[in-house]
Amino acid sequence: MKCDSPLWVSAVLTGLLVASCTTEMPTVPTTGSEHVEICHGYGCKFRSKLMLTASDEKEFAAIMASGAKSPTAERQAIARSVAYFENRTRQVTGVTDQRKSELGAAGIRGQMDCIDESTNTRTLLKYLERHGLLRHHDVAMNASRGFLIDGRYPHNTAVIRDASGKKWAVDSWYAPMGGAPDILPLSEWLPRGFLASGELTEAERRSGL
């Protein structure tokens, strides 16, 4: 089931998509490590535990320290953190998820749609926030666009908010696992449709970050 697909009609109408993308993933802190849940299988059908160790925390701290000087630099660091996190996720699922969603891959372990991707990205962002690694942003609720009746297919993204209150989409669905997510103002992400798909041009990437 593709994320941008008519097959999402019934799920959208019942509100299940919104519920899935805004649900907090529970964490179980342990000494020197922390378990987080990873969604996969489309619509969080499966949830696997990933242990983030003290070594992972040091790696995230180093990545995020490179973004300490400004909100723009921090968004670039967040993109690198997402890439690192997804590479760690691969070790749990055993699958290298490709960009977007594959038709017929619903219910297959390791495959991810935009619900899985946005939920997992928010899980990472909340981890960074808990560990004091976000200096210029906080984590907002995930956002959705497209309701079919408006001529657009549904899509979801994680969201951060800067000190001015401006919200930014952190959309990892368009890149292959371990790739950099699209980060752009939420106000620009929301009106995009099926054809635009949210993929950024090089100019948009430079201006958005």
Side-chain angles (χ1 to χ4, degrees), residues 65-169:
S66 69
K69 63 181 180 180
S70 70
T72 297
E74 183 160 275
R75 289 190 291 275
Q76 293 169 341
I78 287 172
R80 291 192 293 274
S81 290
V82 170
Y84 176 84
F85 182 68
E86 290 194 348
N87 284 325
R88 288 286 282 112
T89 296
R90 182 191 292 118
Q91 297 172 17
V92 173
T93 64
V95 174
T96 300
D97 185 55
Q98 299 303 310
R99 63 195 300 267
K100 301 185 178 181
S101 303
E102 296 181 16
L103 274 175
I108 298 177
R109 288 184 176 275
Q111 298 300 319
M112 299 180 187
D113 62 3
C114 65
I115 295 296
D116 299 316
E117 293 274 7
S118 60
T119 303
N120 293 340
T121 298
R122 189 168 196 273
T123 293
L124 167 65
L125 293 170
K126 294 298 288 184
Y127 171 89
L128 297 177
E129 189 173 61
R130 283 195 304 277
H131 287 263
L133 299 178
L134 296 180
R135 298 173 174 85
H136 302 285
H137 301 82
D138 61 16
V139 184
M141 297 301 294
N142 286 6
S144 302
R145 72 179 183 210
F147 298 97
L148 296 179
I149 58 174
D150 64 356
R152 298 183 302 153
Y153 295 125
H155 188 54
N156 302 275
T157 185
V159 180
I160 54 176
R161 178 173 42 228
D162 64 26
S164 73
K166 183 176 181 178
K167 292 183 177 180
W168 297 78

Side-chain angles (χ1 to χ4, degrees), residues 172-189:
S172 57
W173 187 67
Y174 293 96
M177 180 172 276
D182 286 350
I183 301 183
L184 69 161
L186 185 62
S187 61
E188 296 178 17
W189 182 92

